[in-house]
Amino acid sequence: MSIPQDYPILPRESTLAQLPPAYPADTQDQISQHLASSTLNRLVVLDDDPTGTQTCHDISVLTVWDIETLTEEFKQDSPGFFILTNSRALPPLEAEKLIREICENVAQVAKSAGETVDIVLRGDSTLRGHFPLETDVAQSVFGDADGLVLAPFFFQGGRFTVDDVHYVAEGENLVPAGTTQFAKDATFGYKSSNLRDYVVEKAAGRFQPEQLHSISIHEIRVGGPEAVYEKLMDIPRGGVIIVNAAAESDMHVFVAGLLLASELQLPIPRETGGLIIAGSYVPKTTAQLNVLTSKRGQTGQLAILEMDVEELIASPESAAGAIQRTVQEAESHLQSGQDTLVMTSRKLITGDNELSSLAIGTNVASALVSVLRQIQVRPSKVILDFNWGYTRRCPPIYCISSDPDAVLQMAATVTVDVGHLTHEQIGDLPHRGFGPSYS
């Protein structure tokens, strides 16, 4: 096994302050409202230590799991219950036997009651416990899961996961978990702070790198439940999903996305804005954009982001910086529900000859495609106008060249519905033009 990477101790306050702002919608309220009106599987949480329920309320905690007790619990009008297994206090063989007995009893009672159950294995937020032994046993009884979710975040205990690295708060610092006293546990010790490395360390030979996935804080806070849903649906069956979280609201967003992926069809809490990307430099397009920006931009209905063509072609580094800034600003506006225009500067830049001019057009089109593909917030609608001299070198969705007064209205009728498409699929959509040709 490779030597785990070392990670520095970080200042807690400034590190957390540098993260994107929390997702603005109240997803916990959305979850509660939906769950109250839905028919759900019974949730059974197997807790490996008595401390697991210390922040819970209004839920039963069983300390025995015989058939009679479980039968009575299934008769209760409740969405689920805990079973305190205390398996963390047992050696592996005994823990395996115990978890199997509990799972088989739960499965038997659930079948008799005509119910389906969802199993959660509650473990230690400092990564001590029988992993992956307990998940293996549960799957052997209930069948293979679509994926294993590893989410050790625990706000009250000061346990945070950022960029897949798990931290334990000690005073004003965030200490990588693999360097803490918990990692030196005589029974469940480990060396890895990065949760991808932790999985490999604990389940040696079980998972290939392509089976390890994560939901980032950026995806959670910028993309919201829809971004989480998308990511989960793209993950192949049988992998491990690491959840990054630094606030309880992050977990709420993840759960909302998980419910979407579970086909519970949780309502989307917020309607995002539409995205318009205009790269054509011809006078007609410039005139259209002038009307659009003057009528909608001045009223605040449209956010206008201009990318300087000279900056895009100066160097790869300057282009990358311009793209990153534009993506961040566009995500912020779209998330707030504001229609957003990303346009190139209107001055025509040409090269010394036809080939160099063609290269400029290709670079500009490539930058616009990069903006589209890097935006994690899913727009409610998309309009593209890529025509920097050679449109076919980029994969546009639509080239809009209609009456400029109707550009935004057209977004509702002459656009691609991206509600079910990934960013990669957007790039593969066929080119389709409207109005007079620019080429």
Side-chain angles (χ1 to χ4, degrees), residues 214-257:
S214 61
I215 309 295
S216 71
I217 288 180
H218 184 271
E219 288 167 329
I220 287 173
R221 296 190 177 186
V222 177
E226 271 284 274
V228 173
Y229 159 78
E230 264 191 30
K231 189 72 173 284
L232 291 175
M233 295 305 292
D234 285 342
I235 293 175
R237 185 181 176 90
V240 176
I241 301 120
I242 294 161
V243 181
N244 287 271
E248 290 189 318
S249 59
D250 295 333
M251 290 304 302
H252 300 159
V253 172
F254 172 76
V255 170

Side-chain angles (χ1 to χ4, degrees), residues 16-33:
L16 299 183
Q18 292 173 7
L19 299 175
Y23 187 69
D26 186 355
T27 49
Q28 184 180 27
D29 185 57
Q30 293 281 335
I31 293 168
S32 298
Q33 291 180 22

Side-chain angles (χ1 to χ4, degrees), residues 306-308 311-330 367 370-371 374:
E306 182 172 299
M307 302 182 73
D308 187 345
E311 185 179 10
L312 294 178
I313 65 176
S315 69
E317 293 76 18
S318 64
I323 291 169
Q324 183 179 13
R325 290 196 307 274
T326 303
V327 167
Q328 291 174 346
E329 292 183 41
S370 295
V371 169
Q374 290 182 33

Side-chain angles (χ1 to χ4, degrees), residues 19-184:
L19 299 175
Y23 187 69
D26 186 355
T27 49
Q28 184 180 27
D29 185 57
Q30 293 281 335
I31 293 168
S32 298
Q33 291 180 22
H34 187 73
L35 296 186
S37 60
S38 301
T39 301
L40 304 171
N41 296 338
R42 182 88 63 157
L43 187 68
V44 181
V45 183
L46 307 187
D47 194 345
D48 73 349
D49 185 83
T51 61
T53 57
Q54 61 185 311
T55 59
C56 299
H57 60 84
D58 297 333
I59 189 168
S60 298
V61 180
L62 305 184
T63 57
V64 293
W65 42 84
D66 56 273
I67 298 296
E68 181 179 357
T69 300
L70 290 173
T71 299
E72 287 300 312
E73 187 60 38
F74 269 80
K75 292 179 181 178
Q76 305 305 309
D77 183 20
S78 65
F81 55 91
F82 276 78
I83 297 178
L84 175 56
T85 70
N86 204 30
S87 58
R88 203 187 307 171
L90 301 176
L93 290 178
E94 292 183 33
E96 179 180 359
K97 181 180 178 181
L98 174 68
I99 298 301
R100 185 174 302 280
E101 176 188 344
I102 294 173
C103 288
E104 289 176 346
N105 285 2
V106 169
Q108 178 182 329
V109 174
K111 183 178 181 180
S112 299
E115 293 194 32
T116 304
V117 297
D118 289 329
I119 298 294
V120 173
L121 294 163
R122 209 295 301 183
D124 179 35
S125 60
T126 60
L127 308 179
R128 297 169 299 167
H130 293 290
F131 175 83
L133 183 147
E134 293 192 7
T135 57
D136 290 345
V137 174
Q139 289 184 95
S140 71
V141 176
F142 293 101
D144 291 338
D146 290 334
L148 302 179
V149 175
L150 184 58
F153 166 79
F154 179 36
F155 178 78
Q156 291 82 356
R159 285 75 191 257
F160 307 92
T161 307
V162 180
D163 294 333
D164 296 343
V165 178
H166 195 53
Y167 294 94
V168 176
E170 294 183 1
E172 299 301 316
N173 293 321
L174 296 178
V175 181
T179 63
T180 64
Q181 59 178 336
F182 304 106
K184 298 178 175 62

Side-chain angles (χ1 to χ4, degrees), residues 230 233-234 372-373 378 384 395-397 416-430:
E230 264 191 30
M233 295 305 292
D234 285 342
L372 175 64
R373 289 185 167 172
R378 178 178 294 281
L384 300 188
I397 301 173
V416 173
D417 177 6
V418 298
H420 64 286
L421 297 179
T422 64
H423 290 289
E424 289 75 16
Q425 289 170 320
I426 287 176
D428 292 333
L429 287 170

Side-chain angles (χ1 to χ4, degrees), residues 264-395:
L264 293 182
Q265 301 191 4
L266 187 70
I268 304 302
R270 176 186 288 272
E271 176 72 13
T272 57
L275 176 63
I276 305 169
I277 300 184
S280 177
Y281 59 83
V282 297
K284 181 65 174 178
T285 299
T286 299
Q288 292 172 337
L289 290 174
N290 286 340
V291 174
L292 175 63
T293 56
S294 63
K295 287 194 173 184
R296 298 301 181 97
Q298 293 180 1
T299 62
Q301 295 173 289
L302 180 71
I304 304 167
L305 307 178
E306 182 172 299
M307 302 182 73
D308 187 345
V309 172
E310 291 185 342
E311 185 179 10
L312 294 178
I313 65 176
S315 69
E317 293 76 18
S318 64
I323 291 169
Q324 183 179 13
R325 290 196 307 274
T326 303
V327 167
Q328 291 174 346
E329 292 183 41
E331 286 177 338
S332 177
H333 292 298
L334 291 170
Q335 188 63 68
S336 69
Q338 187 178 27
D339 290 330
T340 303
L341 167 66
V342 176
M343 57 185 284
T344 53
S345 54
R346 297 294 83 203
K347 180 181 178 182
L348 174 61
I349 307 296
T350 60
D352 296 331
N353 51 52
E354 292 182 358
L355 288 179
S356 60
S357 295
L358 181 61
I360 290 174
T362 301
N363 288 339
V364 172
S366 177
L368 294 173
V369 171
S370 295
V371 169
L372 175 64
R373 289 185 167 172
Q374 290 182 33
I375 289 175
Q376 294 299 308
V377 176
R378 178 178 294 281
S380 59
K381 58 191 76 76
V382 175
I383 301 172
L384 300 188
D385 180 8
F386 292 169
N387 205 352
W388 251 86
Y390 194 42
T391 305
R392 286 171 293 173
R393 281 191 175 268
C394 65

